[in-house]
Amino acid sequence: MEAGEIFRVEGPAKVDVVEGELYAVGAIYRAGQSFTVLRARKLAFKAVSRSKISVMLGPGAVLERARPEEEVIDEWESLASSIELRGVIVIIGALDVGKSTMTAVLANKALMGNKGVAVVDADVGQNDLGPPTTISASRVPRPVTHLRQLQAEKSIFVQSTSLERIWDRAVEAIKRLVDYAKSQWGSDVVIVNTDGWIAGEEAVAYKRSLLSALAPTGIVAIRIGGELDEIVKGFTNVAFARPPPAARTRSKEDRKIHRDMSYGRFIFPVKEISIDLDKLPFCNLVLSKGIIIDNNLMGILSRAINSRIFYAVQSGNLVYAITEGWAIKRVGNVRVFGLPEGFERGLLVGFEDSGGFLLGLGVLKRIYYEKRKAVIYASAKLERSLDKARCIRVGYVRLNENFEEAEKVTQLLRYDLYSSERDGSVRGAGSA
Ligand SMILES: Nc1ncnc2c1ncn2[C@@H]1O[C@H](COP(=O)(O)OP(=O)(O)OP(=O)(O)O)[C@@H](O)[C@H]1O
Ligand SMILES: [Mg+2]
């Protein structure tokens, strides 16, 4: 390669520098060094000086010479050089614009400047560090070509693959992970990658509230047109970038397949674990905590909601009942929440430690109310750390027997929102 020449490669591939120097994703690779490109991912690299390289291409891989006008490699590099890489940097943009790649560029760039770098991945649908439904954080010990090469060191379970109606929890979780990276890891710079949810009033409210809460040193907005205008309005520290013109876009189906594969990765090798709910309760289901109601009240409630009640507990003026279907009803001064028998089957759950951080994911098989037990599929690794668990948070995603997404249980989201509003509970450290 002549100095300045750019190639684009789609993985799986490995690029070895034999002589000279290459620039890829914010890092410099010298003779004897190499980088990998993951399957179905693309990246561009450039010769800093006249170089000799060796490229190993895996099945379906493509290597092509890029015309300079097709690439944003120089624009992105000058952006990375122009912003102050310290404190918190937030990346925003729509789907597939290169947010994850930009996060890696900035992380590598900061590493090259000998800074302590951490990444927080707040993309709950396509998380590169941890499983879907989480916000995850990791230190960056060496340059990476894809965030996927890092592994979550700290995660917070946010119960869903989209943040609609629950984004306030995401703001709190992201803030907590950023603070953790600064205080516990001593990171000089924390780069926050976000999800591609940018359109509509709620998405704008979320992103603006996140930016206000984090008060970042810099905001990097990857935009195609005016789609981020509403979000960044009034913020002065915004650097704009263009997406790579040759970026791959992924269909909704592609994204779901990607997630499906991800759940399994974090639950396998799977074991059936029996949980004593008196020792390890649910964080967000009163079912295992309240007082069991008597037959008399059971009869009254059953008639009022016009359904059989299999089991019910009372906590204050709230009654949670296992019934024939979903129901929310006021009976006198009590509010009855009916959850259908078997509603728990396949629900994704997160085991949380006393700091509100995720220990691992599991899938609910069955709750035995009278015995105060739950059977959960989880990894053997998680089973070994159960002594650190404080409670089990039930999520809104239902998986099938192959650990693939089957549905989003919106009724449960509604229950959760209502109960947390009622008891004024705040997630995380200190909340019961
Ligand atoms: N220079 C480039 N030329 C072409 N494609 C690229 C280039 N850099 C990155 N890509 C590819 O573009 C796609 C989108 O990039 P990336 O995953 O960084 O975007 P994203 O905004 O994080 O997407 P998502 O919304 O899925 O999280 C990826 O498949 C990535 O490999
Ligand atoms: Mg991404």
PDB file of all heavy atoms in Angstrom, residues 8 40-44 70-72 76 93-102 123 126 128 146 193-194 196 244-250 255, ligand 1:
ATOM      1  N   ARG A   8     -11.045  -1.226   2.212  1.00  0.00           N
ATOM      2  CA  ARG A   8     -12.194  -1.541   3.046  1.00  0.00           C
ATOM      3  C   ARG A   8     -12.283  -3.056   3.085  1.00  0.00           C
ATOM      4  O   ARG A   8     -12.081  -3.721   2.065  1.00  0.00           O
ATOM      5  CB  ARG A   8     -13.447  -0.947   2.418  1.00  0.00           C
ATOM      6  CG  ARG A   8     -14.624  -0.885   3.330  1.00  0.00           C
ATOM      7  CD  ARG A   8     -15.724   0.024   2.809  1.00  0.00           C
ATOM      8  NE  ARG A   8     -15.931  -0.180   1.388  1.00  0.00           N
ATOM      9  CZ  ARG A   8     -15.941   0.795   0.489  1.00  0.00           C
ATOM     10  NH1 ARG A   8     -15.757   2.039   0.848  1.00  0.00           N
ATOM     11  NH2 ARG A   8     -16.129   0.522  -0.783  1.00  0.00           N
ATOM     12  N   ALA A  40     -19.314 -10.279   8.920  1.00  0.00           N
ATOM     13  CA  ALA A  40     -20.412  -9.366   8.566  1.00  0.00           C
ATOM     14  C   ALA A  40     -20.197  -7.927   9.047  1.00  0.00           C
ATOM     15  O   ALA A  40     -21.131  -7.140   9.072  1.00  0.00           O
ATOM     16  CB  ALA A  40     -21.749  -9.899   9.072  1.00  0.00           C
ATOM     17  N   ARG A  41     -18.991  -7.598   9.461  1.00  0.00           N
ATOM     18  CA  ARG A  41     -18.685  -6.215   9.828  1.00  0.00           C
ATOM     19  C   ARG A  41     -17.677  -5.679   8.823  1.00  0.00           C
ATOM     20  O   ARG A  41     -16.861  -6.431   8.301  1.00  0.00           O
ATOM     21  CB  ARG A  41     -18.061  -6.136  11.222  1.00  0.00           C
ATOM     22  CG  ARG A  41     -18.920  -6.679  12.327  1.00  0.00           C
ATOM     23  CD  ARG A  41     -20.153  -5.805  12.502  1.00  0.00           C
ATOM     24  NE  ARG A  41     -21.099  -6.440  13.395  1.00  0.00           N
ATOM     25  CZ  ARG A  41     -21.267  -6.085  14.668  1.00  0.00           C
ATOM     26  NH1 ARG A  41     -20.540  -5.117  15.171  1.00  0.00           N
ATOM     27  NH2 ARG A  41     -22.154  -6.691  15.410  1.00  0.00           N
ATOM     28  N   LYS A  42     -17.772  -4.374   8.619  1.00  0.00           N
ATOM     29  CA  LYS A  42     -16.832  -3.742   7.691  1.00  0.00           C
ATOM     30  C   LYS A  42     -16.031  -2.685   8.417  1.00  0.00           C
ATOM     31  O   LYS A  42     -16.523  -2.052   9.337  1.00  0.00           O
ATOM     32  CB  LYS A  42     -17.626  -3.007   6.602  1.00  0.00           C
ATOM     33  CG  LYS A  42     -18.146  -3.873   5.488  1.00  0.00           C
ATOM     34  CD  LYS A  42     -18.600  -2.948   4.379  1.00  0.00           C
ATOM     35  CE  LYS A  42     -19.661  -3.571   3.514  1.00  0.00           C
ATOM     36  NZ  LYS A  42     -20.233  -2.573   2.586  1.00  0.00           N
ATOM     37  N   LEU A  43     -14.833  -2.474   7.943  1.00  0.00           N
ATOM     38  CA  LEU A  43     -14.104  -1.295   8.401  1.00  0.00           C
ATOM     39  C   LEU A  43     -13.118  -0.861   7.327  1.00  0.00           C
ATOM     40  O   LEU A  43     -12.773  -1.630   6.416  1.00  0.00           O
ATOM     41  CB  LEU A  43     -13.418  -1.523   9.748  1.00  0.00           C
ATOM     42  CG  LEU A  43     -12.329  -2.580   9.898  1.00  0.00           C
ATOM     43  CD1 LEU A  43     -10.983  -2.061   9.412  1.00  0.00           C
ATOM     44  CD2 LEU A  43     -12.203  -2.927  11.384  1.00  0.00           C
ATOM     45  N   ALA A  44     -12.690   0.389   7.444  1.00  0.00           N
ATOM     46  CA  ALA A  44     -11.736   0.925   6.481  1.00  0.00           C
ATOM     47  C   ALA A  44     -10.397   1.092   7.189  1.00  0.00           C
ATOM     48  O   ALA A  44     -10.355   1.390   8.371  1.00  0.00           O
ATOM     49  CB  ALA A  44     -12.232   2.286   5.983  1.00  0.00           C
ATOM     50  N   GLU A  70     -15.380   7.887  -0.899  1.00  0.00           N
ATOM     51  CA  GLU A  70     -16.340   6.921  -0.336  1.00  0.00           C
ATOM     52  C   GLU A  70     -16.143   6.739   1.162  1.00  0.00           C
ATOM     53  O   GLU A  70     -16.894   6.036   1.804  1.00  0.00           O
ATOM     54  CB  GLU A  70     -16.116   5.521  -0.931  1.00  0.00           C
ATOM     55  CG  GLU A  70     -16.556   5.328  -2.340  1.00  0.00           C
ATOM     56  CD  GLU A  70     -16.088   3.966  -2.855  1.00  0.00           C
ATOM     57  OE1 GLU A  70     -15.347   3.249  -2.149  1.00  0.00           O
ATOM     58  OE2 GLU A  70     -16.492   3.635  -3.965  1.00  0.00           O
ATOM     59  N   GLU A  71     -15.102   7.301   1.698  1.00  0.00           N
ATOM     60  CA  GLU A  71     -14.758   7.011   3.077  1.00  0.00           C
ATOM     61  C   GLU A  71     -14.775   8.236   3.981  1.00  0.00           C
ATOM     62  O   GLU A  71     -14.538   9.350   3.540  1.00  0.00           O
ATOM     63  CB  GLU A  71     -13.371   6.354   3.142  1.00  0.00           C
ATOM     64  CG  GLU A  71     -13.432   4.858   2.917  1.00  0.00           C
ATOM     65  CD  GLU A  71     -14.414   4.169   3.866  1.00  0.00           C
ATOM     66  OE1 GLU A  71     -14.568   4.640   5.002  1.00  0.00           O
ATOM     67  OE2 GLU A  71     -15.031   3.173   3.464  1.00  0.00           O
ATOM     68  N   VAL A  72     -15.040   8.004   5.242  1.00  0.00           N
ATOM     69  CA  VAL A  72     -15.044   9.098   6.218  1.00  0.00           C
ATOM     70  C   VAL A  72     -13.853   8.969   7.169  1.00  0.00           C
ATOM     71  O   VAL A  72     -13.765   9.669   8.166  1.00  0.00           O
ATOM     72  CB  VAL A  72     -16.357   9.110   7.037  1.00  0.00           C
ATOM     73  CG1 VAL A  72     -17.531   9.537   6.165  1.00  0.00           C
ATOM     74  CG2 VAL A  72     -16.618   7.754   7.686  1.00  0.00           C
ATOM     75  N   TRP A  76     -13.403  11.438  10.295  1.00  0.00           N
ATOM     76  CA  TRP A  76     -13.578  10.912  11.655  1.00  0.00           C
ATOM     77  C   TRP A  76     -12.298  11.090  12.472  1.00  0.00           C
ATOM     78  O   TRP A  76     -12.355  11.394  13.647  1.00  0.00           O
ATOM     79  CB  TRP A  76     -13.981   9.420  11.607  1.00  0.00           C
ATOM     80  CG  TRP A  76     -15.434   9.218  11.326  1.00  0.00           C
ATOM     81  CD1 TRP A  76     -16.245  10.065  10.631  1.00  0.00           C
ATOM     82  CD2 TRP A  76     -16.242   8.108  11.746  1.00  0.00           C
ATOM     83  NE1 TRP A  76     -17.519   9.543  10.577  1.00  0.00           N
ATOM     84  CE2 TRP A  76     -17.539   8.333  11.246  1.00  0.00           C
ATOM     85  CE3 TRP A  76     -15.995   6.945  12.462  1.00  0.00           C
ATOM     86  CZ2 TRP A  76     -18.585   7.448  11.469  1.00  0.00           C
ATOM     87  CZ3 TRP A  76     -17.036   6.057  12.678  1.00  0.00           C
ATOM     88  CH2 TRP A  76     -18.326   6.317  12.182  1.00  0.00           C
ATOM     89  N   GLY A  93     -26.915   8.992  17.483  1.00  0.00           N
ATOM     90  CA  GLY A  93     -27.194   8.843  16.057  1.00  0.00           C
ATOM     91  C   GLY A  93     -28.246   7.772  15.850  1.00  0.00           C
ATOM     92  O   GLY A  93     -28.542   7.003  16.765  1.00  0.00           O
ATOM     93  N   ALA A  94     -28.768   7.712  14.627  1.00  0.00           N
ATOM     94  CA  ALA A  94     -29.797   6.719  14.274  1.00  0.00           C
ATOM     95  C   ALA A  94     -29.173   5.321  14.199  1.00  0.00           C
ATOM     96  O   ALA A  94     -27.988   5.140  14.482  1.00  0.00           O
ATOM     97  CB  ALA A  94     -30.431   7.108  12.944  1.00  0.00           C
ATOM     98  N   LEU A  95     -29.954   4.349  13.779  1.00  0.00           N
ATOM     99  CA  LEU A  95     -29.467   2.979  13.610  1.00  0.00           C
ATOM    100  C   LEU A  95     -28.436   2.923  12.488  1.00  0.00           C
ATOM    101  O   LEU A  95     -28.549   3.653  11.506  1.00  0.00           O
ATOM    102  CB  LEU A  95     -30.624   2.046  13.218  1.00  0.00           C
ATOM    103  CG  LEU A  95     -31.773   1.855  14.216  1.00  0.00           C
ATOM    104  CD1 LEU A  95     -32.857   0.992  13.574  1.00  0.00           C
ATOM    105  CD2 LEU A  95     -31.270   1.229  15.497  1.00  0.00           C
ATOM    106  N   ASP A  96     -27.435   2.075  12.641  1.00  0.00           N
ATOM    107  CA  ASP A  96     -26.499   1.762  11.555  1.00  0.00           C
ATOM    108  C   ASP A  96     -25.667   2.932  11.031  1.00  0.00           C
ATOM    109  O   ASP A  96     -25.172   2.879   9.914  1.00  0.00           O
ATOM    110  CB  ASP A  96     -27.250   1.180  10.333  1.00  0.00           C
ATOM    111  CG  ASP A  96     -27.725  -0.238  10.575  1.00  0.00           C
ATOM    112  OD1 ASP A  96     -26.985  -1.002  11.214  1.00  0.00           O
ATOM    113  OD2 ASP A  96     -28.824  -0.575  10.095  1.00  0.00           O
ATOM    114  N   VAL A  97     -25.543   3.992  11.799  1.00  0.00           N
ATOM    115  CA  VAL A  97     -24.762   5.128  11.298  1.00  0.00           C
ATOM    116  C   VAL A  97     -23.285   5.022  11.674  1.00  0.00           C
ATOM    117  O   VAL A  97     -22.470   5.849  11.261  1.00  0.00           O
ATOM    118  CB  VAL A  97     -25.316   6.493  11.775  1.00  0.00           C
ATOM    119  CG1 VAL A  97     -26.696   6.753  11.183  1.00  0.00           C
ATOM    120  CG2 VAL A  97     -25.336   6.573  13.293  1.00  0.00           C
ATOM    121  N   GLY A  98     -22.959   4.015  12.501  1.00  0.00           N
ATOM    122  CA  GLY A  98     -21.566   3.852  12.896  1.00  0.00           C
ATOM    123  C   GLY A  98     -21.269   4.267  14.338  1.00  0.00           C
ATOM    124  O   GLY A  98     -20.116   4.558  14.673  1.00  0.00           O
ATOM    125  N   LYS A  99     -22.292   4.267  15.195  1.00  0.00           N
ATOM    126  CA  LYS A  99     -22.091   4.687  16.591  1.00  0.00           C
ATOM    127  C   LYS A  99     -21.083   3.787  17.313  1.00  0.00           C
ATOM    128  O   LYS A  99     -20.189   4.264  18.002  1.00  0.00           O
ATOM    129  CB  LYS A  99     -23.413   4.661  17.369  1.00  0.00           C
ATOM    130  CG  LYS A  99     -24.447   5.651  16.874  1.00  0.00           C
ATOM    131  CD  LYS A  99     -25.718   5.587  17.705  1.00  0.00           C
ATOM    132  CE  LYS A  99     -26.411   4.234  17.691  1.00  0.00           C
ATOM    133  NZ  LYS A  99     -26.871   3.796  16.368  1.00  0.00           N
ATOM    134  N   SER A 100     -21.248   2.469  17.128  1.00  0.00           N
ATOM    135  CA  SER A 100     -20.336   1.539  17.807  1.00  0.00           C
ATOM    136  C   SER A 100     -18.914   1.713  17.286  1.00  0.00           C
ATOM    137  O   SER A 100     -17.952   1.667  18.058  1.00  0.00           O
ATOM    138  CB  SER A 100     -20.789   0.097  17.587  1.00  0.00           C
ATOM    139  OG  SER A 100     -22.054  -0.104  18.169  1.00  0.00           O
ATOM    140  N   THR A 101     -18.800   1.927  15.975  1.00  0.00           N
ATOM    141  CA  THR A 101     -17.479   2.120  15.378  1.00  0.00           C
ATOM    142  C   THR A 101     -16.846   3.414  15.896  1.00  0.00           C
ATOM    143  O   THR A 101     -15.663   3.437  16.263  1.00  0.00           O
ATOM    144  CB  THR A 101     -17.582   2.143  13.834  1.00  0.00           C
ATOM    145  OG1 THR A 101     -18.289   0.964  13.420  1.00  0.00           O
ATOM    146  CG2 THR A 101     -16.224   2.176  13.181  1.00  0.00           C
ATOM    147  N   MET A 102     -17.650   4.473  15.958  1.00  0.00           N
ATOM    148  CA  MET A 102     -17.135   5.754  16.469  1.00  0.00           C
ATOM    149  C   MET A 102     -16.699   5.616  17.931  1.00  0.00           C
ATOM    150  O   MET A 102     -15.677   6.191  18.337  1.00  0.00           O
ATOM    151  CB  MET A 102     -18.216   6.842  16.327  1.00  0.00           C
ATOM    152  CG  MET A 102     -17.822   8.192  16.879  1.00  0.00           C
ATOM    153  SD  MET A 102     -16.417   8.962  16.014  1.00  0.00           S
ATOM    154  CE  MET A 102     -17.252   9.822  14.659  1.00  0.00           C
ATOM    155  N   ASP A 123     -26.796   0.778  24.381  1.00  0.00           N
ATOM    156  CA  ASP A 123     -27.682   0.284  23.327  1.00  0.00           C
ATOM    157  C   ASP A 123     -28.297  -1.020  23.815  1.00  0.00           C
ATOM    158  O   ASP A 123     -27.674  -2.071  23.768  1.00  0.00           O
ATOM    159  CB  ASP A 123     -26.880   0.079  22.033  1.00  0.00           C
ATOM    160  CG  ASP A 123     -27.784  -0.189  20.839  1.00  0.00           C
ATOM    161  OD1 ASP A 123     -28.967  -0.511  21.057  1.00  0.00           O
ATOM    162  OD2 ASP A 123     -27.317  -0.081  19.694  1.00  0.00           O
ATOM    163  N   GLN A 126     -28.952  -3.732  20.777  1.00  0.00           N
ATOM    164  CA  GLN A 126     -27.775  -4.306  20.115  1.00  0.00           C
ATOM    165  C   GLN A 126     -26.557  -4.005  20.957  1.00  0.00           C
ATOM    166  O   GLN A 126     -25.702  -3.234  20.561  1.00  0.00           O
ATOM    167  CB  GLN A 126     -27.592  -3.691  18.721  1.00  0.00           C
ATOM    168  CG  GLN A 126     -28.806  -3.722  17.833  1.00  0.00           C
ATOM    169  CD  GLN A 126     -29.126  -5.125  17.370  1.00  0.00           C
ATOM    170  OE1 GLN A 126     -28.246  -5.844  16.910  1.00  0.00           O
ATOM    171  NE2 GLN A 126     -30.372  -5.542  17.481  1.00  0.00           N
ATOM    172  N   ASP A 128     -23.058  -4.270  22.441  1.00  0.00           N
ATOM    173  CA  ASP A 128     -21.822  -4.898  21.970  1.00  0.00           C
ATOM    174  C   ASP A 128     -21.033  -5.526  23.112  1.00  0.00           C
ATOM    175  O   ASP A 128     -20.236  -6.423  22.898  1.00  0.00           O
ATOM    176  CB  ASP A 128     -20.940  -3.868  21.264  1.00  0.00           C
ATOM    177  CG  ASP A 128     -21.510  -3.438  19.920  1.00  0.00           C
ATOM    178  OD1 ASP A 128     -21.665  -4.306  19.047  1.00  0.00           O
ATOM    179  OD2 ASP A 128     -21.814  -2.252  19.750  1.00  0.00           O
ATOM    180  N   HIS A 146     -13.616  -3.689  16.998  1.00  0.00           N
ATOM    181  CA  HIS A 146     -15.062  -3.689  17.255  1.00  0.00           C
ATOM    182  C   HIS A 146     -15.270  -3.735  18.765  1.00  0.00           C
ATOM    183  O   HIS A 146     -14.544  -4.435  19.468  1.00  0.00           O
ATOM    184  CB  HIS A 146     -15.729  -4.935  16.668  1.00  0.00           C
ATOM    185  CG  HIS A 146     -15.404  -5.175  15.239  1.00  0.00           C
ATOM    186  ND1 HIS A 146     -16.011  -4.477  14.227  1.00  0.00           N
ATOM    187  CD2 HIS A 146     -14.546  -6.031  14.655  1.00  0.00           C
ATOM    188  CE1 HIS A 146     -15.521  -4.903  13.069  1.00  0.00           C
ATOM    189  NE2 HIS A 146     -14.626  -5.843  13.302  1.00  0.00           N
ATOM    190  N   ASN A 193     -21.893   4.911  24.396  1.00  0.00           N
ATOM    191  CA  ASN A 193     -22.577   4.612  23.140  1.00  0.00           C
ATOM    192  C   ASN A 193     -24.062   4.487  23.459  1.00  0.00           C
ATOM    193  O   ASN A 193     -24.431   3.932  24.482  1.00  0.00           O
ATOM    194  CB  ASN A 193     -22.033   3.288  22.577  1.00  0.00           C
ATOM    195  CG  ASN A 193     -22.643   2.937  21.226  1.00  0.00           C
ATOM    196  OD1 ASN A 193     -23.063   3.816  20.476  1.00  0.00           O
ATOM    197  ND2 ASN A 193     -22.699   1.652  20.912  1.00  0.00           N
ATOM    198  N   THR A 194     -24.919   5.019  22.590  1.00  0.00           N
ATOM    199  CA  THR A 194     -26.366   4.993  22.873  1.00  0.00           C
ATOM    200  C   THR A 194     -27.111   4.167  21.828  1.00  0.00           C
ATOM    201  O   THR A 194     -26.520   3.706  20.856  1.00  0.00           O
ATOM    202  CB  THR A 194     -26.933   6.431  22.876  1.00  0.00           C
ATOM    203  OG1 THR A 194     -26.678   7.018  21.597  1.00  0.00           O
ATOM    204  CG2 THR A 194     -26.296   7.264  23.972  1.00  0.00           C
ATOM    205  N   GLY A 196     -30.208   3.655  18.886  1.00  0.00           N
ATOM    206  CA  GLY A 196     -30.574   4.451  17.713  1.00  0.00           C
ATOM    207  C   GLY A 196     -31.977   5.026  17.777  1.00  0.00           C
ATOM    208  O   GLY A 196     -32.521   5.498  16.779  1.00  0.00           O
ATOM    209  N   PRO A 244     -20.392   6.392   7.543  1.00  0.00           N
ATOM    210  CA  PRO A 244     -19.628   5.889   6.391  1.00  0.00           C
ATOM    211  C   PRO A 244     -20.599   5.600   5.245  1.00  0.00           C
ATOM    212  O   PRO A 244     -21.579   4.904   5.459  1.00  0.00           O
ATOM    213  CB  PRO A 244     -19.011   4.581   6.901  1.00  0.00           C
ATOM    214  CG  PRO A 244     -19.208   4.573   8.379  1.00  0.00           C
ATOM    215  CD  PRO A 244     -20.330   5.492   8.691  1.00  0.00           C
ATOM    216  N   PRO A 245     -20.344   6.159   4.057  1.00  0.00           N
ATOM    217  CA  PRO A 245     -21.289   5.971   2.951  1.00  0.00           C
ATOM    218  C   PRO A 245     -21.524   4.495   2.619  1.00  0.00           C
ATOM    219  O   PRO A 245     -22.616   4.116   2.210  1.00  0.00           O
ATOM    220  CB  PRO A 245     -20.626   6.683   1.769  1.00  0.00           C
ATOM    221  CG  PRO A 245     -19.646   7.611   2.375  1.00  0.00           C
ATOM    222  CD  PRO A 245     -19.218   7.019   3.679  1.00  0.00           C
ATOM    223  N   ALA A 246     -20.523   3.664   2.836  1.00  0.00           N
ATOM    224  CA  ALA A 246     -20.668   2.250   2.455  1.00  0.00           C
ATOM    225  C   ALA A 246     -21.111   1.366   3.618  1.00  0.00           C
ATOM    226  O   ALA A 246     -20.990   0.154   3.561  1.00  0.00           O
ATOM    227  CB  ALA A 246     -19.348   1.741   1.885  1.00  0.00           C
ATOM    228  N   ALA A 247     -21.661   2.003   4.689  1.00  0.00           N
ATOM    229  CA  ALA A 247     -22.048   1.216   5.868  1.00  0.00           C
ATOM    230  C   ALA A 247     -23.162   0.230   5.547  1.00  0.00           C
ATOM    231  O   ALA A 247     -24.037   0.511   4.728  1.00  0.00           O
ATOM    232  CB  ALA A 247     -22.480   2.137   6.994  1.00  0.00           C
ATOM    233  N   ARG A 248     -23.084  -0.900   6.181  1.00  0.00           N
ATOM    234  CA  ARG A 248     -24.113  -1.925   6.024  1.00  0.00           C
ATOM    235  C   ARG A 248     -25.315  -1.520   6.860  1.00  0.00           C
ATOM    236  O   ARG A 248     -25.177  -1.057   7.975  1.00  0.00           O
ATOM    237  CB  ARG A 248     -23.634  -3.245   6.639  1.00  0.00           C
ATOM    238  CG  ARG A 248     -22.787  -4.091   5.782  1.00  0.00           C
ATOM    239  CD  ARG A 248     -22.348  -5.312   6.558  1.00  0.00           C
ATOM    240  NE  ARG A 248     -23.087  -6.499   6.161  1.00  0.00           N
ATOM    241  CZ  ARG A 248     -23.890  -7.179   6.926  1.00  0.00           C
ATOM    242  NH1 ARG A 248     -24.115  -6.801   8.147  1.00  0.00           N
ATOM    243  NH2 ARG A 248     -24.498  -8.245   6.497  1.00  0.00           N
ATOM    244  N   THR A 249     -26.494  -1.731   6.338  1.00  0.00           N
ATOM    245  CA  THR A 249     -27.668  -1.537   7.188  1.00  0.00           C
ATOM    246  C   THR A 249     -28.252  -2.912   7.466  1.00  0.00           C
ATOM    247  O   THR A 249     -28.108  -3.832   6.671  1.00  0.00           O
ATOM    248  CB  THR A 249     -28.730  -0.645   6.515  1.00  0.00           C
ATOM    249  OG1 THR A 249     -29.094  -1.248   5.294  1.00  0.00           O
ATOM    250  CG2 THR A 249     -28.185   0.741   6.288  1.00  0.00           C
ATOM    251  N   ARG A 250     -28.863  -3.037   8.613  1.00  0.00           N
ATOM    252  CA  ARG A 250     -29.410  -4.323   9.005  1.00  0.00           C
ATOM    253  C   ARG A 250     -30.910  -4.224   9.141  1.00  0.00           C
ATOM    254  O   ARG A 250     -31.439  -3.222   9.609  1.00  0.00           O
ATOM    255  CB  ARG A 250     -28.785  -4.767  10.329  1.00  0.00           C
ATOM    256  CG  ARG A 250     -27.326  -5.158  10.151  1.00  0.00           C
ATOM    257  CD  ARG A 250     -26.810  -5.841  11.360  1.00  0.00           C
ATOM    258  NE  ARG A 250     -26.756  -4.905  12.475  1.00  0.00           N
ATOM    259  CZ  ARG A 250     -26.608  -5.289  13.713  1.00  0.00           C
ATOM    260  NH1 ARG A 250     -26.558  -6.571  14.015  1.00  0.00           N
ATOM    261  NH2 ARG A 250     -26.530  -4.409  14.667  1.00  0.00           N
ATOM    262  N   ARG A 255     -31.525  -7.874  13.222  1.00  0.00           N
ATOM    263  CA  ARG A 255     -31.248  -7.414  14.576  1.00  0.00           C
ATOM    264  C   ARG A 255     -31.789  -8.404  15.592  1.00  0.00           C
ATOM    265  O   ARG A 255     -31.165  -8.656  16.614  1.00  0.00           O
ATOM    266  CB  ARG A 255     -31.891  -6.037  14.819  1.00  0.00           C
ATOM    267  CG  ARG A 255     -31.188  -4.950  14.076  1.00  0.00           C
ATOM    268  CD  ARG A 255     -31.910  -3.625  14.174  1.00  0.00           C
ATOM    269  NE  ARG A 255     -31.171  -2.658  13.394  1.00  0.00           N
ATOM    270  CZ  ARG A 255     -30.125  -1.983  13.853  1.00  0.00           C
ATOM    271  NH1 ARG A 255     -29.754  -2.128  15.095  1.00  0.00           N
ATOM    272  NH2 ARG A 255     -29.471  -1.171  13.069  1.00  0.00           N
TER     273      ARG A 255
HETATM  274  N1  LIG B   1     -15.807   2.614   6.884  1.00  0.00           N
HETATM  275  C1  LIG B   1     -16.828   1.772   6.781  1.00  0.00           C
HETATM  276  N2  LIG B   1     -17.300   1.437   5.581  1.00  0.00           N
HETATM  277  C2  LIG B   1     -18.329   0.616   5.482  1.00  0.00           C
HETATM  278  N3  LIG B   1     -18.965   0.061   6.493  1.00  0.00           N
HETATM  279  C3  LIG B   1     -18.550   0.358   7.713  1.00  0.00           C
HETATM  280  C4  LIG B   1     -17.454   1.218   7.927  1.00  0.00           C
HETATM  281  N4  LIG B   1     -17.245   1.315   9.247  1.00  0.00           N
HETATM  282  C5  LIG B   1     -18.174   0.559   9.834  1.00  0.00           C
HETATM  283  N5  LIG B   1     -18.953  -0.037   8.911  1.00  0.00           N
HETATM  284  C6  LIG B   1     -20.083  -0.978   9.150  1.00  0.00           C
HETATM  285  O1  LIG B   1     -21.301  -0.269   9.246  1.00  0.00           O
HETATM  286  C7  LIG B   1     -22.203  -0.983  10.092  1.00  0.00           C
HETATM  287  C8  LIG B   1     -22.783  -0.050  11.118  1.00  0.00           C
HETATM  288  O2  LIG B   1     -21.742   0.383  11.970  1.00  0.00           O
HETATM  289  P1  LIG B   1     -21.888   0.323  13.552  1.00  0.00           P
HETATM  290  O3  LIG B   1     -22.245  -1.022  14.013  1.00  0.00           O
HETATM  291  O4  LIG B   1     -20.689   0.986  14.101  1.00  0.00           O
HETATM  292  O5  LIG B   1     -23.137   1.302  13.644  1.00  0.00           O
HETATM  293  P2  LIG B   1     -24.179   1.509  14.831  1.00  0.00           P
HETATM  294  O6  LIG B   1     -24.715   2.888  14.644  1.00  0.00           O
HETATM  295  O7  LIG B   1     -23.543   1.192  16.122  1.00  0.00           O
HETATM  296  O8  LIG B   1     -25.267   0.456  14.480  1.00  0.00           O
HETATM  297  P3  LIG B   1     -26.403  -0.198  15.448  1.00  0.00           P
HETATM  298  O9  LIG B   1     -27.537   0.767  15.388  1.00  0.00           O
HETATM  299  O10 LIG B   1     -26.704  -1.489  14.789  1.00  0.00           O
HETATM  300  O11 LIG B   1     -25.798  -0.356  16.809  1.00  0.00           O
HETATM  301  C9  LIG B   1     -21.408  -2.118  10.692  1.00  0.00           C
HETATM  302  O12 LIG B   1     -21.735  -3.315  10.023  1.00  0.00           O
HETATM  303  C10 LIG B   1     -19.976  -1.724  10.467  1.00  0.00           C
HETATM  304  O13 LIG B   1     -19.131  -2.840  10.364  1.00  0.00           O
END
